[in-house]
Amino acid sequence: MYRPIKACFLQCLPSNLRTISSATWQKSRPFGRICSPGTTNASVTFPGGNWLQANPMLTEEHMQKWPTLQALAKASLEEVNELWAGLGYYSRGKRLQEAAQKVVSELAGQMPATAEELQRLLPGVGKYTAGAIASISYGQVTGVVDGNVIRVLCRVRCIGADSSSPAVTDRLWDLANSLVDPARPGDFNQAMMELGATVCTPRAPLCMECPVKQHCRARCRVEKELEFASKRLLGKAAFSCSQAPDIEECAATGSCSLCLPASEPWDSSLGVANFPRRAAKKQPRAERTATCVLERRGPRGEPEYLIVQRPSSGLLAGLWEFPSLALELGLKEKQQREVLLAHVQAWAGEAVARGRLRHVGEVSHVFSHIHQTYVVYSLLLGGDHKTASGRRDKMLERPAFRWVTQAEFQKAAVSTAMKKVWKAFERQICEGRGSGQGCKRKRAANPSRAGQWKVEADGSLPPRQFSLDAFLKAPAGE
Ligand code: SF4
């Protein structure tokens, strides 16, 4: 039924398709690495190229460290987090490891081979990922719907309702499953995604170069609009764009759950970009967190910094951070200092005057649903590593913690946000010492001098600055 459009979509496959399109597919989809069929190898081998080189989430380092599912299953969450540090989407690394453990311990080392089983049995595998793995690696005839496919299908079919609504989502999956080529399901799905990523782009689609343009209702509509405008201007007869029905012919216009809403009609200035439409995005909520870079001298006089481990569930689960405390909104600076000082006191191993807590600045980081502002302070402890190791009696209820050198901090499982905090702290150190650009190298070359700040007489520190013919013939009822 959809044969012409299938052939058109498959034209989107470049000669080196497996490498390129898998790169698109793999973008932030780490489960791709565990979909090798019939094997227990953790990687997917695409003929014609090494996908690892094009994979922004997984690196050669990951594959060398865990070349098999068994190796990944044996890894600790700490090891996974360390190698994942800085990549974002930390819960994906955790779930990837959980999935590997499940395949090894409960599924006799065999990957589920259908989209249904993949989604049902493996943690972190959703409908899209399951469809992608099943079609690309196992040849199951099943469609995929990701952001690129949503954009292509909404334009090709002029679906203008909120693309995240259940009605549109269901319709898109129906379309994807109807369209997928049974002879080459994996190639077809990659071609669809490739089309959306390289041709049918969000803001500047290359319609003239598009292999499915003769089947695209959005493009047809744009041409009709232009023709209508031209006709009005020149008084000529209207042209006929194609035999395909257009969206205005929808019998349910005004109440259709797929058409452009009456409240947000077609906008000529947008052209094909009228599709897809999305409900207004929810603004991330604002949160403030006080963070303290606690520094002491190590056994050889080198600077060491305290990092503590976050809870094993929730945001940034299991990652390490400088001692941090969520702040109530509206807290004044003096109050922030007091609550933070009380929070870090137990780790300090000594009484710390409020004035020694130095304000470094503010660092912003946007998580998917939270706009986080870190109010950064630093505290240089006066004693050595023996006195500044924390009072054990008060540490019983505390999370895991450790003192690390600068180099160890950079290799630790810390988030991008904490690396930003570190940079702010390092900048302050450089500015405070007037060392300019060479500060970092100087600290590394002469660590024993780092942290040597002048302490005032009162114990405080000085302030620093611190298919497509048939496809177009809509199924009956649509
Ligand atoms: Fe997208 Fe244009 Fe191709 Fe339609 S013709 S699918 S809008 S690139």
Side-chain angles (χ1 to χ4, degrees):
M1 176 179 182
Y2 295 144
R3 195 172 302 154
I5 194 172
K6 293 180 204 290
C8 291
F9 274 124
L10 284 168
Q11 284 176 32
C12 299
L13 289 167
S15 55
N16 57 344
L17 100 101
R18 296 247 180 206
T19 302
I20 291 176
S21 41
S22 65
T24 300
W25 172 56
Q26 291 291 342
K27 189 173 182 182
S28 70
R29 283 151 187 129
F31 277 102
R33 78 191 306 268
I34 58 168
C35 68
S36 191
T39 74
T40 54
N41 196 298
S43 71
V44 184
T45 303
F46 290 101
N50 181 356
W51 69 274
L52 282 171
Q53 291 172 350
N55 189 329
M57 289 296 284
L58 297 172
T59 64
E60 193 71 51
E61 199 181 354
H62 288 99
M63 296 307 297
Q64 281 179 358
K65 192 165 175 80
W66 304 302
T68 64
L69 277 174
Q70 285 84 353
L72 182 57
K74 278 185 197 158
S76 68
L77 179 59
E78 181 68 18
E79 290 175 297
V80 171
N81 281 337
E82 277 179 12
L83 233 57
W84 212 268
L87 295 175
Y89 302 102
Y90 298 100
S91 63
R92 294 185 184 183
K94 180 170 182 270
R95 287 177 183 164
L96 178 62
Q97 185 222 21
E98 288 171 355
Q101 287 175 338
K102 184 154 187 180
V103 171
V104 170
S105 63
E106 297 178 30
L107 304 173
Q110 293 298 309
M111 284 283 291
T114 66
E116 296 73 23
E117 287 187 337
L118 282 158
Q119 192 177 345
R120 180 167 55 85
L121 297 175
L122 297 188
V125 174
K127 198 170 180 180
Y128 159 76
T129 307
I133 294 173
S135 62
I136 296 170
S137 285
Y138 298 96
Q140 184 183 358
V141 182
T142 183
V144 298
V145 175
D146 73 344
N148 286 319
V149 175
I150 288 173
R151 184 165 57 258
V152 171
L153 291 180
C154 283
R155 289 177 178 172
V156 167
R157 296 304 298 265
C158 270
I159 295 175
D162 174 10
S163 61
S164 62
S165 68
V168 172
T169 300
D170 289 348
R171 184 65 187 134
L172 292 173
W173 275 100
D174 287 346
L175 286 168
N177 286 328
S178 305
L179 273 168
V180 65
D181 187 335
R184 302 172 65 186
D187 289 352
F188 181 88
N189 287 334
Q190 292 180 81
M192 285 268 281
M193 294 185 275
E194 192 76 6
L195 180 71
T198 61
V199 179
C200 194
T201 57
R203 290 197 178 81
L206 305 170
C207 295
M208 294 310 291
E209 297 171 27
C210 180
V212 299
K213 60 178 180 287
Q214 71 269 35
H215 304 293
C216 179
R217 293 183 179 182
R219 178 176 172 274
C220 179
R221 175 147 186 180
V222 168
E223 290 192 351
K224 277 190 169 184
E225 295 271 337
L226 290 172
E227 185 69 17
F228 183 67
S230 170
K231 177 192 160 197
R232 274 206 312 192
L233 204 63
L234 302 173
K236 289 185 178 177
F239 89 130
S240 173
C241 173
S242 86
Q243 291 70 46
D246 58 31
I247 202 69
E248 292 92 343
E249 292 168 20
C250 175
T253 298
S255 60
C256 179
S257 60
L258 302 176
C259 291
L260 284 167
S263 58
E264 293 174 76
W266 170 268
D267 179 346
S268 303
S269 68
L270 295 175
V272 295
N274 272 284
F275 312 99
R277 293 277 176 90
R278 281 236 172 100
K281 219 175 167 185
K282 220 172 148 189
Q283 287 298 314
R285 68 175 187 271
E287 288 188 2
R288 288 175 71 79
T289 294
T291 300
C292 183
V293 181
L294 202 56
E295 181 178 346
R296 74 172 189 186
R297 301 287 165 70
R300 292 183 299 278
E302 75 282 19
E304 289 185 337
Y305 307 91
L306 182 74
I307 54 176
V308 298
Q309 192 167 32
R310 290 184 57 84
S312 58
S313 60
L315 184 70
L316 306 175
L319 296 190
W320 295 80
E321 63 185 10
F322 296 117
S324 301
L325 186 69
L327 292 171
E328 287 173 30
L329 293 177
L331 225 53
K332 297 219 165 58
E333 210 219 316
K334 188 179 165 197
Q335 296 165 304
Q336 289 176 8
R337 282 175 177 272
E338 278 168 6
V339 294
L340 182 61
L341 197 61
H343 184 67
V344 301
Q345 190 72 60
W347 282 296
E350 62 185 40
V352 179
R354 198 173 61 207
R356 287 178 55 193
L357 205 57
R358 303 176 60 111
H359 185 245
V360 172
E362 295 194 355
V363 168
S364 294
H365 190 79
V366 180
F367 297 97
S368 56
H369 55 296
I370 298 171
H371 188 125
Q372 183 67 261
T373 300
Y374 292 95
V375 185
V376 185
Y377 291 87
S378 65
L379 176 60
L380 175 64
L381 298 174
D384 61 18
H385 69 285
K386 289 174 189 155
T387 56
S389 57
R391 291 203 293 268
R392 291 281 165 187
D393 55 330
K394 292 199 172 182
M395 306 302 286
L396 293 175
E397 302 298 316
R398 299 270 167 173
F401 67 98
R402 58 191 165 119
W403 291 87
V404 292
T405 62
Q406 178 182 350
E408 289 166 341
F409 172 81
Q410 295 299 344
K411 284 190 193 155
V414 297
S415 66
T416 303
M418 277 304 121
K419 289 197 171 172
K420 285 186 185 175
V421 168
W422 171 264
K423 278 189 179 159
F425 167 70
E426 195 171 48
R427 202 160 44 238
Q428 185 204 48
I429 294 285
C430 291
E431 289 170 1
R433 293 173 186 161
S435 304
Q437 287 185 319
C439 180
K440 199 172 176 182
R441 284 195 296 274
K442 279 185 182 176
R443 282 171 65 79
N446 192 1
S448 64
R449 293 183 60 192
Q452 289 181 355
W453 299 344
K454 184 171 175 252
V455 180
E456 303 291 359
D458 63 355
S460 67
L461 290 162
R464 287 187 295 158
Q465 289 184 296
F466 317 127
S467 134
L468 251 172
D469 292 330
F471 174 62
L472 293 172
K473 292 179 183 110
E478 182 182 323

PDB file of all heavy atoms in Angstrom, residues 465-476:
ATOM      1  N   GLN A 465      38.184  39.002  44.746  1.00  0.00           N
ATOM      2  CA  GLN A 465      37.264  39.040  43.626  1.00  0.00           C
ATOM      3  C   GLN A 465      37.216  37.677  42.967  1.00  0.00           C
ATOM      4  O   GLN A 465      38.112  36.927  42.831  1.00  0.00           O
ATOM      5  CB  GLN A 465      37.754  40.024  42.590  1.00  0.00           C
ATOM      6  CG  GLN A 465      37.608  41.403  43.045  1.00  0.00           C
ATOM      7  CD  GLN A 465      37.999  42.359  41.960  1.00  0.00           C
ATOM      8  OE1 GLN A 465      39.136  42.367  41.579  1.00  0.00           O
ATOM      9  NE2 GLN A 465      37.048  43.126  41.498  1.00  0.00           N
ATOM     10  N   PHE A 466      36.893  38.177  43.049  1.00  0.00           N
ATOM     11  CA  PHE A 466      36.933  36.785  42.700  1.00  0.00           C
ATOM     12  C   PHE A 466      36.085  36.458  41.307  1.00  0.00           C
ATOM     13  O   PHE A 466      35.757  37.462  40.546  1.00  0.00           O
ATOM     14  CB  PHE A 466      36.422  35.998  44.007  1.00  0.00           C
ATOM     15  CG  PHE A 466      36.846  36.353  45.324  1.00  0.00           C
ATOM     16  CD1 PHE A 466      36.023  36.622  46.401  1.00  0.00           C
ATOM     17  CD2 PHE A 466      38.173  36.492  45.521  1.00  0.00           C
ATOM     18  CE1 PHE A 466      36.560  37.001  47.654  1.00  0.00           C
ATOM     19  CE2 PHE A 466      38.683  36.831  46.791  1.00  0.00           C
ATOM     20  CZ  PHE A 466      37.883  37.095  47.800  1.00  0.00           C
ATOM     21  N   SER A 467       6.214   5.359   2.378  1.00  0.00           N
ATOM     22  CA  SER A 467       5.522   5.280   0.720  1.00  0.00           C
ATOM     23  C   SER A 467       4.694   6.511   0.499  1.00  0.00           C
ATOM     24  O   SER A 467       3.638   6.125   1.328  1.00  0.00           O
ATOM     25  CB  SER A 467       5.166   3.465   0.371  1.00  0.00           C
ATOM     26  OG  SER A 467       4.449   3.178   0.041  1.00  0.00           O
ATOM     27  N   LEU A 468       5.036   7.296  -1.852  1.00  0.00           N
ATOM     28  CA  LEU A 468       4.146   7.963  -0.941  1.00  0.00           C
ATOM     29  C   LEU A 468       2.753   8.230  -1.536  1.00  0.00           C
ATOM     30  O   LEU A 468       1.932   8.790  -0.878  1.00  0.00           O
ATOM     31  CB  LEU A 468       4.743   9.293  -0.558  1.00  0.00           C
ATOM     32  CG  LEU A 468       5.227   9.354   0.838  1.00  0.00           C
ATOM     33  CD1 LEU A 468       5.969  10.582   1.176  1.00  0.00           C
ATOM     34  CD2 LEU A 468       4.359   9.066   1.928  1.00  0.00           C
ATOM     35  N   ASP A 469       2.469   7.719  -2.754  1.00  0.00           N
ATOM     36  CA  ASP A 469       1.148   7.944  -3.375  1.00  0.00           C
ATOM     37  C   ASP A 469       0.053   7.367  -2.495  1.00  0.00           C
ATOM     38  O   ASP A 469      -0.884   8.053  -2.076  1.00  0.00           O
ATOM     39  CB  ASP A 469       1.059   7.269  -4.761  1.00  0.00           C
ATOM     40  CG  ASP A 469       1.974   7.959  -5.749  1.00  0.00           C
ATOM     41  OD1 ASP A 469       2.190   9.171  -5.585  1.00  0.00           O
ATOM     42  OD2 ASP A 469       2.448   7.303  -6.679  1.00  0.00           O
ATOM     43  N   ALA A 470       0.177   6.049  -2.250  1.00  0.00           N
ATOM     44  CA  ALA A 470      -0.850   5.382  -1.462  1.00  0.00           C
ATOM     45  C   ALA A 470      -0.876   5.956  -0.059  1.00  0.00           C
ATOM     46  O   ALA A 470      -1.925   6.057   0.566  1.00  0.00           O
ATOM     47  CB  ALA A 470      -0.581   3.882  -1.425  1.00  0.00           C
ATOM     48  N   PHE A 471       0.245   6.276   0.389  1.00  0.00           N
ATOM     49  CA  PHE A 471       0.323   6.816   1.749  1.00  0.00           C
ATOM     50  C   PHE A 471      -0.512   8.085   1.841  1.00  0.00           C
ATOM     51  O   PHE A 471      -1.191   8.359   2.814  1.00  0.00           O
ATOM     52  CB  PHE A 471       1.789   7.117   2.079  1.00  0.00           C
ATOM     53  CG  PHE A 471       1.980   7.814   3.385  1.00  0.00           C
ATOM     54  CD1 PHE A 471       1.610   7.215   4.551  1.00  0.00           C
ATOM     55  CD2 PHE A 471       2.532   9.086   3.429  1.00  0.00           C
ATOM     56  CE1 PHE A 471       1.803   7.855   5.751  1.00  0.00           C
ATOM     57  CE2 PHE A 471       2.710   9.724   4.616  1.00  0.00           C
ATOM     58  CZ  PHE A 471       2.348   9.108   5.783  1.00  0.00           C
ATOM     59  N   LEU A 472      -0.399   8.867   0.766  1.00  0.00           N
ATOM     60  CA  LEU A 472      -1.133  10.135   0.779  1.00  0.00           C
ATOM     61  C   LEU A 472      -2.626   9.923   0.683  1.00  0.00           C
ATOM     62  O   LEU A 472      -3.408  10.780   1.083  1.00  0.00           O
ATOM     63  CB  LEU A 472      -0.645  11.047  -0.339  1.00  0.00           C
ATOM     64  CG  LEU A 472       0.801  11.478  -0.077  1.00  0.00           C
ATOM     65  CD1 LEU A 472       1.341  12.220  -1.263  1.00  0.00           C
ATOM     66  CD2 LEU A 472       0.864  12.313   1.175  1.00  0.00           C
ATOM     67  N   LYS A 473      -2.976   8.755   0.104  1.00  0.00           N
ATOM     68  CA  LYS A 473      -4.415   8.463   0.116  1.00  0.00           C
ATOM     69  C   LYS A 473      -4.707   7.946   1.499  1.00  0.00           C
ATOM     70  O   LYS A 473      -4.483   6.811   1.821  1.00  0.00           O
ATOM     71  CB  LYS A 473      -4.735   7.404  -0.940  1.00  0.00           C
ATOM     72  CG  LYS A 473      -4.538   7.937  -2.355  1.00  0.00           C
ATOM     73  CD  LYS A 473      -4.841   6.866  -3.372  1.00  0.00           C
ATOM     74  CE  LYS A 473      -4.556   7.402  -4.748  1.00  0.00           C
ATOM     75  NZ  LYS A 473      -3.415   6.828  -5.415  1.00  0.00           N
ATOM     76  N   ALA A 474      -5.206   8.806   2.281  1.00  0.00           N
ATOM     77  CA  ALA A 474      -5.382   8.477   3.702  1.00  0.00           C
ATOM     78  C   ALA A 474      -6.304   7.299   3.886  1.00  0.00           C
ATOM     79  O   ALA A 474      -7.260   7.130   3.150  1.00  0.00           O
ATOM     80  CB  ALA A 474      -5.959   9.684   4.420  1.00  0.00           C
ATOM     81  N   PRO A 475      -5.979   6.450   4.872  1.00  0.00           N
ATOM     82  CA  PRO A 475      -6.871   5.334   5.186  1.00  0.00           C
ATOM     83  C   PRO A 475      -8.275   5.846   5.470  1.00  0.00           C
ATOM     84  O   PRO A 475      -8.456   6.942   5.970  1.00  0.00           O
ATOM     85  CB  PRO A 475      -6.250   4.708   6.437  1.00  0.00           C
ATOM     86  CG  PRO A 475      -4.836   5.174   6.405  1.00  0.00           C
ATOM     87  CD  PRO A 475      -4.833   6.492   5.735  1.00  0.00           C
ATOM     88  N   ALA A 476      -9.252   5.015   5.130  1.00  0.00           N
ATOM     89  CA  ALA A 476     -10.646   5.408   5.318  1.00  0.00           C
ATOM     90  C   ALA A 476     -10.864   5.818   6.755  1.00  0.00           C
ATOM     91  O   ALA A 476     -10.391   5.181   7.684  1.00  0.00           O
ATOM     92  CB  ALA A 476     -11.565   4.237   4.953  1.00  0.00           C
TER      93      ALA A 476
END
